Amino acid sequence: MNKLLKFTGAALIGVLLQSGASQANVLLNSGFESGDFTSWTVNTGGDVSYPQVVIAYNQTGEYPTGAFGEPIPAAPNGGNSGAYFVSDTATQSISQSISLTQGQNYQVSFEIYSPNNGRNNPFDATLQSSVDGVLSPLFTAKTLASGWTLYSAIFAASAGPYTFSLNFDGQGIPAADFVLDNASVAAVPEASTWAMMILGFVGVGFLAYRRRETSKKIGFRLA
């Protein structure tokens, strides 16, 4: 029976990991790999000099193609580019209208980075997400941990309508800045779904175990 448990456990872990990875992200162009803000509604806050842009990683270019000469490392969850918020005084946002199911649990997540050159500026900047009335912490560029930071939270969808937005606020000239990548809003499987999957894989594991043991017995008799 120990062999059965090992077989079933290994199979279950593998499938659960695949299931978690395959949850559908309802956001479009969530990693900004199009090189622009396709599928997003962009509000520049009236700042025509420093609107939010999409920049490539590990580049030393100047704004708007880079982060003022500072190469930004790629985000841990992959991708070649990210959204760059750099306005000194404007309140800016990017947003999407999304379709959710009322009562369903969803996981919202994204990765953010505070460039070093922005940290050295006199004024700070803030960034906060909003989805279905749920707000992330108010991130401040100067106090954000060095390197990429992952934000993740789970919420239950209300009656809608639903909008996911990322909201930036520059607080003086010159202000700090943010790079953001891999935004996601994805359904979380219900507990009953996990239970059915576990029972199903225990059954599959038992059948495979019985089949293997039967084969061994037949082979022994033939020998």
Side-chain angles (χ1 to χ4, degrees), residues 5-19:
L5 292 175
K6 289 179 181 178
F7 173 84
T8 306
L12 180 61
I13 290 171
V15 172
L16 292 184
L17 288 175
Q18 290 180 5
S19 174

Side-chain angles (χ1 to χ4, degrees), residues 44-51 85-92 123-126 168-177:
T44 66
D47 189 345
V48 296
S49 298
Y50 295 106
F85 294 85
V86 68
S87 177
D88 290 323
T89 58
T91 298
Q92 302 178 328
F123 294 93
D124 211 340
T126 64
F168 169 87
D169 184 26
Q171 299 183 347
I173 302 174
D177 43 12

Side-chain angles (χ1 to χ4, degrees), residues 123-134:
F123 294 93
D124 211 340
T126 64
L127 188 140
Q128 187 173 41
S129 73
S130 173
V131 57
D132 194 25
V134 177

Side-chain angles (χ1 to χ4, degrees), residues 136-153:
S136 73
L138 185 67
F139 295 102
T140 56
K142 286 180 174 289
T143 59
L144 196 67
S146 179
W148 284 93
T149 295
L150 172 66
Y151 167 72
S152 179

